[in-house]
Amino acid sequence: MTDSPAARTSRRRGFLVFLRDVLVIIVIAALVSFVVKSFVVRSFYIPSASMERTLLVKDRILVDELTPRWTDYARGDVVVFKDPGGWLDPQPQTPAQPPLVQAVDWVLNFVGISATDSQDHLVKRVIGLPGDHVVCCNALGQITINGAPIDELSYLNLPEGDTAASNETFDVVVPDDSVWLLGDNRDRSRDARAHQDLPSGGFVPMENIVGKAFLTTWPLDRMGPIDGHHDTFNGVPDPE
């Protein structure tokens, strides 16, 4: 017994309604993911060794974009930021990908699953806040902030027997709305110290900070919170 035209029309209409509902769900999910990526949490991967041992090359991390807008940043926070100019070497031209691959990559970036723009960002630890007087180093090889020494050995990646927080000296006062950022792998990090000859003086404007890294999500054996070691800075007084 064959279906009547009315039955076939009804089934076709039902399929179209189902397809419409699926597309609406996909669009809503994509928009929600985009909003989350743009204003709440964003994913990045680590392209260099400058933050070892805290973060390793190819680690994938989540960055909190929302909370710092209310609480501001603190000394010790690990932050992701856009290059203020001159920090990153020029990237070589890569061959154009097929249109389909570009489209898929755009969608994945749009919803926050992919993180291909990680190469355009950097990750470092906040050492100096606006107004701080940051000096390297005292007789023990420690950085001082507003005259108070900080002991960073719990998180620095230094060669065996080396306890100096930096082999490069500096004496800076952090300008308003800027921060002084250093990598934990001090001997292999081109951080604020390496960019003092730039117009920015090596400081990074607050507006360039994307957010605070709070969780390592990949690989699975390294999944866990990212330590700000804020107790290291407990004895630092406010700037004069």
Side-chain angles (χ1 to χ4, degrees):
M1 182 176 178
T2 59
D3 292 336
S4 66
R8 289 196 296 270
T9 301
S10 177
R11 281 203 305 273
R12 188 180 303 113
R13 184 179 297 115
F15 175 75
L16 292 175
V17 169
F18 171 75
L19 184 60
R20 180 201 65 190
D21 291 345
V22 169
L23 289 175
V24 168
I25 292 171
I26 291 174
V27 169
I28 292 175
L31 289 175
V32 169
S33 297
F34 173 72
V35 171
V36 169
K37 169 192 168 182
S38 300
F39 303 105
V40 184
V41 175
R42 192 168 172 185
S43 175
F44 285 90
Y45 73 85
I46 304 303
S48 75
S50 69
M51 281 297 292
E52 291 181 350
R53 297 181 302 270
T54 303
L55 298 171
L56 306 183
V57 176
K58 296 185 179 180
D59 277 359
R60 187 171 289 269
I61 61 174
L62 290 183
V63 175
D64 177 2
E65 301 177 275
L66 185 60
T67 305
R69 300 183 188 186
W70 300 332
T71 62
D72 292 328
Y73 293 97
R75 302 180 191 94
D77 285 346
V78 176
V79 297
V80 171
F81 60 101
K82 294 180 290 187
D83 183 2
W87 284 56
L88 291 172
D89 295 328
Q91 295 297 314
Q93 290 289 340
T94 56
Q97 296 177 312
L100 180 59
V101 174
Q102 293 184 46
V104 171
D105 187 60
W106 182 89
V107 170
L108 293 178
N109 273 283
F110 180 83
V111 300
I113 296 175
S114 180
T116 54
D117 61 348
S118 294
Q119 294 285 359
D120 302 325
H121 293 74
L122 303 99
V123 57
K124 297 286 184 283
R125 190 179 296 274
V126 177
I127 301 299
L129 294 172
D132 281 346
H133 182 199
V134 189
V135 179
C136 178
C137 287
N138 65 11
L140 297 178
Q142 298 170 322
I143 290 174
T144 64
I145 306 175
N146 305 327
I150 57 172
D151 183 359
E152 301 181 88
L153 293 181
S154 61
Y155 58 80
L156 291 185
N157 186 17
L158 300 175
E160 183 93 27
D162 187 1
T163 59
S166 173
N167 291 318
E168 301 174 50
T169 60
F170 53 84
D171 186 335
V172 299
V173 175
V174 185
D176 292 341
D177 300 317
S178 296
V179 285
W180 181 257
L181 305 176
L182 300 179
D184 289 355
N185 195 0
R186 291 287 159 84
D187 291 345
R188 295 184 60 192
S189 177
R190 295 186 69 249
D191 45 40
R193 300 166 296 169
H195 300 99
Q196 296 181 75
D197 57 342
L198 295 176
S200 64
F203 305 105
V204 173
M206 288 282 197
E207 63 184 17
N208 282 60
I209 299 180
V210 174
K212 179 171 63 174
F214 70 96
L215 185 70
T216 302
T217 60
W218 188 265
L220 292 178
D221 62 352
R222 287 184 43 75
M223 180 179 290
I226 296 171
D227 197 340
H229 293 277
H230 297 113
D231 55 340
T232 298
F233 304 84
N234 285 344
V236 175
D238 292 333
E240 296 180 358

